[in-house]
Amino acid sequence: MDNIITSVQFKRGYKSALESALVGDNKPQRGEPIFEIDTNKMKIGDGVNDYKDLDYIGGTDEINISYM
């Protein structure tokens, strides 16, 4: 039987905190999703660039995700 992932947790935080923390040796890994809780926007790490240098995913519409 195949394994089924029942939940996924993204790295998340305020934009300014993410831009300060996810740099250099701590940059986002390739394929790692990061969600900004204050802007409702998301980026995906590429393993090369610091967080602030990554593009947001999706189009111009904001992502509406509820979080705790």
Coordinates of all heavy atoms in Angstrom, one line a residue:
M1 N 0.8 -1.2 0.0 CA 0.0 0.0 0.0 C 0.9 1.2 0.0 O 1.9 1.3 0.7 CB -0.9 0.0 1.2 CG -1.8 1.1 1.3 SD -3.0 0.9 2.7 CE -4.2 2.1 2.3
D2 N 0.5 2.2 -0.8 CA 1.2 3.5 -0.8 C 1.1 4.3 0.5 O 0.0 4.2 1.1 CB 0.7 4.3 -2.0 CG 1.1 3.7 -3.3 OD1 2.1 3.0 -3.4 OD2 0.3 4.0 -4.3
N3 N 2.1 5.0 0.8 CA 2.1 5.9 2.0 C 1.3 7.2 1.5 O 1.5 7.7 0.4 CB 3.5 6.3 2.4 CG 4.2 5.1 3.1 OD1 3.5 4.2 3.6 ND2 5.5 5.1 3.1
I4 N 0.5 7.7 2.4 CA -0.3 8.9 2.1 C 0.1 9.9 3.1 O 0.1 9.7 4.4 CB -1.8 8.6 2.2 CG1 -2.2 7.6 1.2 CG2 -2.5 10.0 2.1 CD1 -3.6 7.2 1.3
I5 N 0.5 11.1 2.6 CA 0.9 12.2 3.5 C -0.4 12.9 3.9 O -1.2 13.3 3.1 CB 1.8 13.2 2.8 CG1 3.1 12.5 2.5 CG2 2.1 14.4 3.7 CD1 4.0 13.4 1.6
T6 N -0.7 13.0 5.2 CA -1.9 13.5 5.7 C -1.8 15.0 6.0 O -2.8 15.7 6.2 CB -2.5 12.8 6.9 OG1 -1.5 12.8 7.9 CG2 -2.8 11.3 6.5
S7 N -0.6 15.5 6.2 CA -0.4 16.9 6.5 C 1.0 17.4 6.1 O 1.9 16.6 6.1 CB -0.7 17.3 8.0 OG 0.4 16.7 8.8
V8 N 1.1 18.7 5.8 CA 2.3 19.3 5.4 C 2.4 20.6 6.1 O 1.5 21.3 6.2 CB 2.4 19.5 3.9 CG1 3.6 20.3 3.5 CG2 2.3 18.2 3.1
Q9 N 3.6 20.8 6.7 CA 3.8 22.1 7.4 C 4.8 22.9 6.7 O 5.9 22.4 6.4 CB 4.3 21.9 8.9 CG 4.3 23.1 9.7 CD 4.5 22.9 11.1 OE1 4.4 21.7 11.6 NE2 4.6 23.9 11.9
F10 N 4.5 24.2 6.3 CA 5.4 25.1 5.6 C 6.2 25.9 6.6 O 5.7 26.2 7.7 CB 4.6 26.0 4.8 CG 3.8 25.5 3.6 CD1 3.8 24.1 3.4 CD2 3.2 26.3 2.7 CE1 3.1 23.6 2.3 CE2 2.5 25.7 1.6 CZ 2.5 24.4 1.4
K11 N 7.3 26.3 6.2 CA 8.0 27.3 7.0 C 7.2 28.6 6.8 O 6.8 28.9 5.7 CB 9.5 27.5 6.4 CG 10.4 28.3 7.3 CD 11.8 28.2 6.8 CE 12.4 26.9 7.3 NZ 13.8 26.8 6.9
R12 N 7.0 29.3 7.9 CA 6.1 30.5 7.8 C 6.6 31.6 8.8 O 7.2 31.3 9.8 CB 4.7 30.2 8.0 CG 4.4 29.6 9.4 CD 3.1 28.9 9.4 NE 2.7 28.3 10.7 CZ 3.3 27.2 11.2 NH1 4.2 26.6 10.5 NH2 2.9 26.8 12.4
G13 N 6.2 32.8 8.5 CA 6.6 33.9 9.4 C 6.3 35.3 8.7 O 5.8 35.3 7.6
Y14 N 6.6 36.3 9.5 CA 6.4 37.7 8.9 C 7.5 37.9 7.9 O 8.6 37.4 8.0 CB 6.5 38.7 10.0 CG 5.3 38.6 10.9 CD1 5.4 38.0 12.1 CD2 4.1 39.2 10.5 CE1 4.3 38.0 13.0 CE2 3.0 39.1 11.3 CZ 3.1 38.5 12.6 OH 2.0 38.4 13.4
K15 N 7.2 38.7 6.8 CA 8.1 38.9 5.7 C 9.4 39.4 6.2 O 10.5 38.9 5.8 CB 7.4 39.9 4.7 CG 8.3 40.2 3.6 CD 7.7 41.3 2.6 CE 8.7 41.6 1.5 NZ 8.1 42.5 0.5
S16 N 9.5 40.4 7.0 CA 10.7 41.0 7.5 C 11.6 40.0 8.2 O 12.8 39.9 8.1 CB 10.5 42.2 8.3 OG 9.7 41.9 9.5
A17 N 10.9 39.1 9.0 CA 11.7 38.1 9.8 C 12.2 37.0 8.9 O 13.4 36.6 9.0 CB 10.8 37.5 10.8
L18 N 11.5 36.6 7.9 CA 11.9 35.6 6.9 C 13.1 36.2 6.1 O 14.1 35.5 5.8 CB 10.8 35.2 6.0 CG 9.6 34.4 6.6 CD1 8.4 34.4 5.7 CD2 10.1 33.1 7.1
E19 N 13.0 37.4 5.7 CA 14.1 38.0 4.9 C 15.4 38.1 5.7 O 16.5 38.0 5.1 CB 13.7 39.4 4.4 CG 12.7 39.3 3.3 CD 12.2 40.7 2.7 OE1 12.4 41.7 3.4 OE2 11.6 40.7 1.6
S20 N 15.3 38.3 7.0 CA 16.4 38.4 7.9 C 17.0 37.1 8.2 O 18.3 36.9 8.3 CB 16.1 39.1 9.2 OG 15.7 40.4 9.0
A21 N 16.2 36.1 8.4 CA 16.6 34.8 8.8 C 17.1 33.8 7.7 O 18.0 33.0 7.9 CB 15.5 34.1 9.6
L22 N 16.4 33.9 6.6 CA 16.7 32.9 5.5 C 17.7 33.4 4.5 O 17.4 33.7 3.3 CB 15.4 32.5 4.8 CG 14.3 31.9 5.8 CD1 13.1 31.6 5.0 CD2 14.9 30.7 6.5
V23 N 19.0 33.5 5.0 CA 20.1 34.1 4.1 C 21.3 33.2 4.3 O 21.4 32.4 5.3 CB 20.4 35.5 4.5 CG1 19.3 36.4 4.2 CG2 20.8 35.6 6.0
G24 N 22.2 33.3 3.4 CA 23.5 32.6 3.5 C 23.3 31.1 3.7 O 22.6 30.5 2.9
D25 N 24.0 30.5 4.7 CA 23.9 29.1 4.9 C 22.5 28.6 5.3 O 22.2 27.4 5.3 CB 24.9 28.7 6.0 CG 26.3 28.8 5.6 OD1 26.6 28.8 4.3 OD2 27.2 28.9 6.4
N26 N 21.6 29.5 5.7 CA 20.3 29.2 6.1 C 19.2 29.5 5.0 O 18.0 29.6 5.3 CB 19.9 29.9 7.4 CG 18.7 29.3 8.1 OD1 18.5 28.1 8.0 ND2 17.9 30.1 8.7
K27 N 19.7 29.7 3.8 CA 18.8 30.0 2.7 C 17.8 28.8 2.5 O 18.1 27.7 2.8 CB 19.5 30.4 1.4 CG 20.3 29.2 0.8 CD 21.0 29.7 -0.5 CE 22.4 29.2 -0.6 NZ 23.4 30.1 -0.3
P28 N 16.6 29.1 1.9 CA 15.6 28.1 1.7 C 16.2 27.0 0.8 O 16.9 27.2 -0.2 CB 14.5 28.8 1.0 CG 14.6 30.2 1.4 CD 16.1 30.4 1.5
Q29 N 15.9 25.7 1.1 CA 16.3 24.6 0.3 C 15.5 24.5 -1.0 O 14.3 25.1 -1.1 CB 16.1 23.3 1.1 CG 17.0 23.2 2.3 CD 16.7 22.0 3.1 OE1 16.2 21.0 2.6 NE2 17.0 22.0 4.4
R30 N 16.0 23.8 -1.9 CA 15.3 23.6 -3.2 C 13.9 23.0 -3.0 O 13.9 21.9 -2.3 CB 16.1 22.8 -4.2 CG 15.5 22.6 -5.5 CD 16.5 21.9 -6.4 NE 15.9 21.8 -7.7 CZ 16.1 20.8 -8.5 NH1 16.9 19.8 -8.2 NH2 15.5 20.7 -9.7
G31 N 12.9 23.6 -3.4 CA 11.5 23.0 -3.3 C 10.8 23.3 -2.0 O 9.7 22.9 -1.8
E32 N 11.5 24.0 -1.1 CA 10.9 24.3 0.2 C 9.9 25.5 0.1 O 10.3 26.6 -0.3 CB 12.1 24.7 1.2 CG 11.6 25.0 2.6 CD 12.7 25.3 3.5 OE1 13.8 25.8 3.1 OE2 12.6 25.1 4.7
P33 N 8.7 25.2 0.5 CA 7.7 26.3 0.5 C 7.8 27.2 1.8 O 7.9 26.7 2.9 CB 6.3 25.6 0.5 CG 6.6 24.2 1.1 CD 8.1 23.9 0.9
I34 N 7.6 28.5 1.6 CA 7.7 29.5 2.7 C 6.5 30.4 2.5 O 6.3 31.0 1.4 CB 9.0 30.3 2.7 CG1 10.2 29.3 2.8 CG2 9.0 31.2 3.9 CD1 11.0 29.3 1.5
F35 N 5.7 30.6 3.6 CA 4.5 31.4 3.6 C 4.7 32.6 4.4 O 5.1 32.5 5.6 CB 3.3 30.5 4.0 CG 2.0 31.3 4.1 CD1 1.4 31.7 2.9 CD2 1.4 31.6 5.3 CE1 0.2 32.3 2.9 CE2 0.2 32.3 5.3 CZ -0.4 32.6 4.1
E36 N 4.4 33.8 3.9 CA 4.4 35.0 4.7 C 3.0 35.3 5.3 O 2.1 35.5 4.6 CB 4.8 36.2 3.8 CG 6.1 36.1 3.2 CD 6.5 37.3 2.2 OE1 5.6 38.2 2.0 OE2 7.6 37.3 1.7
I37 N 3.0 35.2 6.6 CA 1.7 35.3 7.3 C 1.1 36.7 7.3 O -0.1 36.9 7.5 CB 1.8 34.8 8.7 CG1 2.7 35.6 9.6 CG2 2.1 33.3 8.7 CD1 2.8 35.2 11.1
D38 N 2.0 37.8 7.0 CA 1.4 39.1 7.0 C 1.0 39.6 5.6 O 0.2 40.5 5.5 CB 2.4 40.1 7.6 CG 3.8 40.1 7.0 OD1 4.2 39.0 6.4 OD2 4.5 41.1 7.1
T39 N 1.5 38.9 4.6 CA 1.2 39.4 3.2 C 0.3 38.3 2.5 O -0.2 38.6 1.4 CB 2.5 39.6 2.4 OG1 3.1 38.3 2.2 CG2 3.4 40.6 3.0
N40 N 0.2 37.1 3.1 CA -0.5 36.0 2.4 C 0.1 35.6 1.1 O -0.6 35.2 0.1 CB -2.0 36.3 2.2 CG -2.8 36.2 3.5 OD1 -2.4 35.5 4.4 ND2 -3.9 36.9 3.6
K41 N 1.4 35.8 1.0 CA 2.2 35.4 -0.2 C 3.1 34.2 0.1 O 3.5 34.0 1.2 CB 2.9 36.6 -0.8 CG 2.0 37.7 -1.3 CD 2.8 38.8 -1.9 CE 1.8 39.9 -2.4 NZ 2.6 41.0 -3.0
M42 N 3.5 33.6 -1.0 CA 4.4 32.4 -0.8 C 5.5 32.4 -1.8 O 5.4 32.9 -2.9 CB 3.5 31.2 -1.0 CG 4.1 29.8 -0.9 SD 2.9 28.6 -1.1 CE 3.0 27.8 0.4
K43 N 6.6 31.8 -1.4 CA 7.8 31.6 -2.2 C 8.2 30.2 -2.1 O 7.9 29.5 -1.1 CB 8.9 32.5 -1.8 CG 8.6 34.0 -2.0 CD 9.8 34.8 -1.6 CE 9.6 36.3 -1.8 NZ 10.8 37.1 -1.5
I44 N 9.0 29.7 -3.1 CA 9.5 28.3 -3.1 C 11.0 28.5 -3.2 O 11.5 29.1 -4.1 CB 9.0 27.5 -4.2 CG1 7.4 27.4 -4.2 CG2 9.6 26.1 -4.2 CD1 6.9 26.6 -3.1
G45 N 11.7 27.9 -2.3 CA 13.2 27.9 -2.3 C 13.8 27.2 -3.5 O 13.2 26.3 -4.0
D46 N 14.9 27.7 -4.0 CA 15.6 27.1 -5.1 C 17.0 26.6 -4.7 O 17.7 26.0 -5.5 CB 15.8 28.1 -6.2 CG 16.6 29.3 -5.9 OD1 17.2 29.4 -4.8 OD2 16.7 30.2 -6.8
G47 N 17.4 26.7 -3.4 CA 18.6 26.2 -2.9 C 19.8 27.0 -3.3 O 20.9 26.7 -2.9
V48 N 19.6 28.1 -4.0 CA 20.7 29.0 -4.4 C 20.6 30.4 -3.9 O 21.5 31.0 -3.4 CB 20.7 29.1 -6.0 CG1 21.8 30.0 -6.5 CG2 20.9 27.7 -6.6
N49 N 19.4 31.0 -3.9 CA 19.1 32.4 -3.6 C 18.6 32.5 -2.1 O 17.9 31.7 -1.6 CB 18.1 33.0 -4.5 CG 18.6 33.2 -5.9 OD1 19.5 34.0 -6.1 ND2 18.1 32.4 -6.9
D50 N 19.0 33.7 -1.5 CA 18.4 34.0 -0.2 C 16.9 34.3 -0.4 O 16.5 34.6 -1.5 CB 19.1 35.3 0.3 CG 20.5 35.1 0.7 OD1 20.9 34.0 0.9 OD2 21.3 36.1 0.8
Y51 N 16.2 34.2 0.7 CA 14.7 34.3 0.6 C 14.3 35.6 -0.1 O 13.4 35.6 -1.0 CB 14.1 34.3 2.0 CG 12.6 34.4 2.0 CD1 11.8 33.4 1.6 CD2 12.0 35.6 2.3 CE1 10.5 33.5 1.6 CE2 10.7 35.8 2.2 CZ 9.9 34.7 1.9 OH 8.5 34.8 1.8
K52 N 14.9 36.7 0.3 CA 14.5 38.0 -0.3 C 14.7 38.1 -1.8 O 14.0 38.9 -2.5 CB 15.2 39.2 0.4 CG 16.7 39.2 0.1 CD 17.4 40.4 0.9 CE 18.9 40.4 0.6 NZ 19.3 40.7 -0.7
D53 N 15.5 37.3 -2.4 CA 15.8 37.3 -3.8 C 14.9 36.4 -4.6 O 15.0 36.3 -5.8 CB 17.3 37.0 -4.1 CG 18.2 38.1 -3.5 OD1 17.8 39.3 -3.5 OD2 19.3 37.7 -3.0
L54 N 14.1 35.6 -3.9 CA 13.2 34.7 -4.6 C 11.9 35.4 -5.1 O 11.5 36.4 -4.5 CB 12.8 33.5 -3.7 CG 13.9 32.6 -3.2 CD1 13.3 31.7 -2.1 CD2 14.4 31.8 -4.4
D55 N 11.3 34.9 -6.2 CA 10.1 35.5 -6.7 C 8.9 34.8 -6.0 O 9.0 33.7 -5.5 CB 9.9 35.2 -8.2 CG 10.9 36.0 -9.0 OD1 11.3 37.1 -8.6 OD2 11.3 35.5 -10.1
Y56 N 7.8 35.6 -5.8 CA 6.6 35.0 -5.3 C 6.0 34.0 -6.3 O 6.2 34.2 -7.5 CB 5.5 36.1 -5.0 CG 5.9 36.9 -3.8 CD1 6.4 38.2 -4.0 CD2 5.9 36.4 -2.5 CE1 6.8 39.0 -2.9 CE2 6.2 37.2 -1.4 CZ 6.7 38.5 -1.6 OH 7.0 39.2 -0.5
I57 N 5.3 33.0 -5.8 CA 4.7 32.0 -6.8 C 3.3 32.5 -7.1 O 2.7 33.4 -6.4 CB 4.6 30.6 -6.2 CG1 3.7 30.6 -5.0 CG2 6.0 30.1 -5.9 CD1 3.3 29.1 -4.6
G58 N 2.7 32.0 -8.2 CA 1.4 32.3 -8.6 C 1.3 33.6 -9.4 O 2.3 34.2 -9.8
G59 N 0.1 34.0 -9.7 CA -0.2 35.3 -10.4 C -0.3 36.5 -9.5 O 0.4 36.5 -8.5
T60 N -1.1 37.4 -9.9 CA -1.3 38.6 -9.1 C -2.3 38.5 -8.0 O -2.4 39.4 -7.2 CB -1.7 39.8 -10.1 OG1 -2.9 39.4 -10.7 CG2 -0.6 40.0 -11.1
D61 N -3.1 37.4 -8.0 CA -4.1 37.2 -7.0 C -3.4 36.8 -5.7 O -2.5 36.0 -5.7 CB -5.1 36.2 -7.3 CG -6.0 36.6 -8.5 OD1 -6.1 37.8 -8.7 OD2 -6.5 35.7 -9.2
E62 N -3.9 37.3 -4.5 CA -3.4 36.9 -3.3 C -3.9 35.5 -2.9 O -4.9 35.0 -3.3 CB -3.8 37.8 -2.2 CG -3.1 39.2 -2.2 CD -3.4 40.0 -1.1 OE1 -4.1 39.6 -0.1 OE2 -3.0 41.2 -1.1
I63 N -3.0 34.7 -2.2 CA -3.4 33.4 -1.7 C -4.2 33.6 -0.4 O -3.8 34.3 0.5 CB -2.2 32.6 -1.4 CG1 -1.3 32.4 -2.6 CG2 -2.5 31.2 -0.8 CD1 0.0 31.8 -2.4
N64 N -5.4 33.0 -0.3 CA -6.2 33.1 0.8 C -6.1 31.8 1.6 O -6.8 30.8 1.4 CB -7.7 33.4 0.5 CG -7.8 34.7 -0.1 OD1 -7.3 35.7 0.4 ND2 -8.5 34.8 -1.3
I65 N -5.2 31.7 2.6 CA -5.0 30.6 3.4 C -5.2 31.0 4.9 O -4.6 31.9 5.3 CB -3.6 30.0 3.2 CG1 -3.4 29.6 1.8 CG2 -3.3 28.8 4.2 CD1 -2.0 29.1 1.5
S66 N -6.0 30.2 5.6 CA -6.2 30.5 7.0 C -5.0 29.8 7.7 O -4.6 28.7 7.3 CB -7.5 29.9 7.5 OG -8.5 30.5 6.9
Y67 N -4.5 30.4 8.8 CA -3.5 29.9 9.6 C -3.8 30.1 11.0 O -4.5 31.0 11.4 CB -2.1 30.4 9.2 CG -2.0 31.9 9.3 CD1 -1.6 32.5 10.5 CD2 -2.4 32.7 8.2 CE1 -1.6 33.9 10.6 CE2 -2.4 34.1 8.4 CZ -2.0 34.7 9.5 OH -1.9 36.0 9.6
M68 N -3.1 29.3 11.9 CA -3.3 29.5 13.3 C -2.1 30.2 13.9 O -1.0 30.1 13.5 CB -3.5 28.2 14.0 CG -4.7 27.5 13.5 SD -4.8 25.9 14.3 CE -6.5 25.8 14.6

